[in-house]
Amino acid sequence: MSEIVLNIDGKEVAASAGMTVLQAAQQADIHIPTLCHHEKLEAYGGCRLCIVEVEARGRKSYVVSCLYPVEPGIVVRTRSEKVDKIRKVLVEELMAHAPDAPELVRLAEEYGADRHRFDKETSFCVLCGLCVRYCDEVKHKNAVGFIENGAVREISFIPEIAAKECWSCQECFTLCPTSYAQAAYLLTEALAFPGRREAHSHAHAHATPEPERRVIPITPVAATA
Amino acid sequence: MTMLKLNSAAELEALRAKILAGRDPAKPCIAVCAGAACDGMDSAAVACAFLAEVGRQQLGERLELRTTGCHGYCERGPNVVVTPGEICYFEVAPADVPEIVAATLRGEVVERLVYHDPASGAKAVHMNEVPFYKHQTRLLIGDNPKIDPMKIDDYLAVGGYAALIKALTEMTPDQVLDEVKRANLRGRGGGGFPAGSKWETTRNAPEKIKYVIVNGHEGESAAFMDRAMLTGNPHKVLEGLIIGAYAIGAQRGFMYTRHDMPLLEKHVRNALAQAKEYGLLGENILGSGFSLEVELHFDVGIFVSGESSALMRSIEGNAPEPRPKYVRTSVSGIWDKPSNLNNVETWANVPQIISRGAEWFTSIGSEKSRGTKLISLSGNVVNSGVVEVPMGTPLRTLVFDIGGGVRDGKTLKAIHFGGAMGGSIPARLIDAPLDFDGMSKLGAPIGAGGLLLMDEDTDMVEVARYLMDFLTKESCGKCVPCREGMQQMLQTLTRLTEGRGRQGDLELLEDLVEVTGLGSLCALGKTSGDPLKSMFRYFRPEYEARISNQAANQAADQAAAGSGDTK
Ligand SMILES: Cc1cc2nc3c(=O)[nH]c(=O)nc-3n(C[C@H](O)[C@H](O)[C@H](O)COP(=O)(O)O)c2cc1C
Ligand code: SF4
Ligand code: SF4
Ligand code: FES
Ligand code: FES
């Protein structure tokens, strides 16, 4: 594979063709924040937190590093006044929905984001799509999907599939940056196939430890933190 | 006329000669507009009345009747144009029909139904005397009154498909490409990107399978010229597409149009079927060895599906979400194959560039923007409708000479271009020329060509709120800056219009405009703040006044409430 040399934060970094700027940076131990990115999943480009400044052929632009392919000679800045400002506002926007998500709290500190800048509308989900894409691309079950567009978009478990598949999987819960995936699942369970949890624990009272152990406790989040 | 597959250019020319021989130019023809606006004013009843009258008097031999697409002057519909002479009758009612028929047979004019100048009362009988039409250059839309969109023969009668013959028989694909490049045809769908270079990118892409697509989505609010073009003269757009496919080396084409316009669907479907029957589509077109299949696709009713990558995902059968990859659709589009997308009007320009040449085309318009532009005129304008003028035409001509100025004798406050991703400029810039780059610099990019007039009573904060409300509903919701940023901008603007502005709101809006513009995934989000940018540039005091007034009022209210409490 052909070697490509690019410059990230003043450092010459070698990468191979087809890599993204994010991969090149990670390889060189340069940290770029991400929220919707996951190694196992196709790059999504939704959260835009991994945005960086790129100078190529004399032109400066802002691109998301999880998708932007490495090119020889480009100059990448993972931090700049503009980049930091974009990340700060993005975090502020997301904190209107999930003010206590640990990753957001950490990012808020780093970028000086004001978690109260926007009126709270605590839906908890930041719509990173990790649960949806994991269930689709890795599990091929599509038990959870997006419904609606724009500002009213949300994720939703499809009861028919969830009843069959999710019980023994629950893998997306740990991917979720806000623990909403689990909450949404539990809500679906309660509404669409109630009694399942009890029946299950009876039947397996003396059997091997259950997938339930994987249910992570939902961190209590105050609605108007 | 019996339908037959034409196997050569000569056969097509023979057919054209036969069609023309069967038509007497001196025989009067009454063309009733059945475009969307006239249809809304029940032009169908007028057309029926003509049909009944001609039937009753058995005038079929002496009079031709035709229903057509949009003539342009939608404001004054139902429109009727009588040839020869292009006599224009406005606001025609079924009751007027016997009189028009009688006058037409006598070679006379029904004076009361022609144009009267609202100020002087002066009459204008013929199309080229009517102020709305006489300042236009109607190269694309001008054939509409001459064509029944359901009849390919009507298109052939006005010289249709002659450009295709020329391209297939006299030119190599490279020569066609070169002609379009030299014409400097720029995309009419919003970006003004040179069509020739885009075609070349797709042509040069290594993949053998290539696609060409017509973008007939036309989601921009206050834009209605693409549907007028495509519904009224579908073969012109199709001819452009076939020529483009030949130049690019595409084997398959798509017409992507609105799902909510039955007439448009009917006309396009019919045009595709007729072209196929005549052998202008399908295998070995006119015996040239070039083959092309074209199919019709419908949008899913959301604005973002007009964006190139979302549109292509939609054609693939996926949800129309913009694709995040940093690779152009002209290289990797539908099913990852090179796909060239152009707007309806862009394609419609192609036949005339081929027949009349790049030199002719570049003699029209302004230096960097050649040819004509279709404009939808609406808002507080006297004459709303579909207009076509050379690029470089001063806005004043559009607004006053053609548009007739502002409604109800009010004064002009602002001109808005480009819908929810466009911008507003103040009335004092009325002499700016209609030009892609010039208008972008002023902050009101032409976009697809929706021009909205705003009078003195317009609340510019409300305009921004209204446009943001539209876009917020149209965001696909995938990326954070667009989904969240627009929602926050909308909430802030709503607060301002409702008298709940806060200190710092303008700065907040400016932050959001900047971050949404830089951070969004597709052009919808990237340009969503453009109207606001133009507001801050030209109408800032109006916004500031809202804040200071509101802040002051609120303070006063609170003080009053506070003192009330203590009493
Ligand atoms: C949100 C969005 C909506 C769009 N809608 C349309 C549309 O309705 N019609 C259109 O021709 N182009 C539309 N465009 C522009 C297309 O992406 C594309 O640039 C255009 O069709 C290319 O054709 P042209 O080069 O001939 O202008 C839209 C772009 C965006 C970002
Ligand atoms: S539920 Fe969690 S993982 Fe799924 S989209 Fe929302 S925040 Fe992302
Ligand atoms: S900018 Fe808006 S419309 Fe475009 S991908 Fe992002 S959310 Fe969807
Ligand atoms: S990590 Fe790149 S956009 Fe989310
Ligand atoms: S619809 Fe009849 S003139 Fe436009």
Side-chain angles (χ1 to χ4, degrees), chain A residues 124-132 146 155 175-181:
Chain A
F124 302 109
C125 176
V126 293
L127 298 164
C128 66
L130 283 171
C131 56
V132 173
F146 287 119
I155 61 130
L175 296 178
C176 177
T178 73
S179 72
Y180 181 73

Side-chain angles (χ1 to χ4, degrees), chain A residues 34-37 45-48 50 66:
Chain A
T34 63
L35 193 66
C36 70
H37 185 72
C47 75
R48 318 302 282 176
C50 69
C66 66

Side-chain angles (χ1 to χ4, degrees), chain B residues 42-294:
Chain B
D42 209 4
S43 64
V46 176
C48 280
F50 274 113
L51 209 61
E53 185 68 12
V54 167
R56 193 176 64 79
Q57 297 195 52
Q58 302 194 332
L59 297 171
E61 291 296 308
R62 298 174 58 200
L63 206 61
E64 199 87 46
L65 280 183
R66 177 182 298 145
T67 47
T68 73
C70 174
H71 294 180
Y73 205 167
C74 305
E75 180 77 36
R76 302 290 302 276
N79 279 289
V80 171
V81 172
V82 177
T83 45
E86 297 195 303
I87 300 158
C88 295
Y89 295 125
F90 298 103
E91 293 167 8
V92 176
D96 301 325
V97 163
E99 202 180 339
I100 295 176
V101 169
T104 302
L105 289 173
R106 289 196 304 269
E108 289 168 5
V109 172
V110 184
E111 305 268 329
R112 65 180 182 88
L113 294 173
V114 302
Y115 182 84
H116 289 79
D117 186 275
S120 67
K123 277 186 318 223
V125 174
H126 307 285
M127 195 174 248
N128 59 9
E129 298 159 357
V130 177
F132 179 82
Y133 290 117
K134 83 173 175 198
H135 299 279
Q136 300 191 39
T137 303
R138 307 203 332 143
L139 300 176
L140 302 174
I141 203 85
D143 282 341
N144 272 20
K146 302 177 194 150
I147 288 177
D148 178 339
M150 290 293 281
K151 294 185 178 151
I152 188 171
D153 287 6
D154 280 7
Y155 184 60
L156 293 175
V158 298
Y161 289 108
L164 177 64
I165 291 183
K166 182 173 176 188
L168 292 180
T169 60
E170 296 172 30
M171 299 168 86
T172 63
D174 277 327
Q175 284 171 325
V176 174
L177 178 64
D178 191 52
E179 201 70 38
V180 173
K181 276 171 71 180
R182 283 193 303 116
N184 196 10
L185 172 63
R186 296 177 64 176
R188 267 41 173 170
F193 191 81
S197 11
K198 197 150 80 175
W199 288 20
E200 193 168 36
T201 306
T202 303
R203 176 172 171 74
N204 291 342
E207 288 268 8
K208 273 234 151 3
I209 295 177
K210 302 177 203 290
Y211 303 118
V212 285
I213 310 120
V214 178
N215 192 346
H217 171 67
E218 194 168 52
E220 186 177 298
S221 49
F224 41 84
M225 61 276 142
D226 285 353
R227 63 197 80 175
M229 188 71 230
L230 193 55
T231 315
N233 195 351
H235 283 289
K236 200 187 207 48
V237 181
L238 181 58
E239 184 179 4
L241 182 71
I242 304 171
I243 294 171
Y246 173 70
I248 288 165
Q251 307 83 1
R252 209 166 146 193
F254 300 91
M255 290 247 192
Y256 190 81
T257 75
R258 306 186 61 86
H259 71 290
D260 55 354
M261 307 209 63
L263 206 60
L264 186 152
E265 175 181 352
K266 184 173 150 197
H267 292 179
V268 173
R269 244 186 229 301
N270 178 72
L272 291 176
Q274 285 182 338
K276 179 120 195 186
E277 223 168 328
Y278 275 20
L280 299 165
L281 277 179
E283 290 287 313
N284 194 14
I285 295 170
L286 297 178
S288 64
F290 172 67
S291 306
L292 178 73
E293 297 291 343
V294 174

Side-chain angles (χ1 to χ4, degrees), chain B residues 187-189 198 215 217-219 306-308 341-343 346 523-524:
Chain B
R188 267 41 173 170
K198 197 150 80 175
N215 192 346
H217 171 67
E218 194 168 52
E307 189 274 337
S308 53
L341 174 74
N342 282 116
N343 168 261
T346 314
L524 187 147

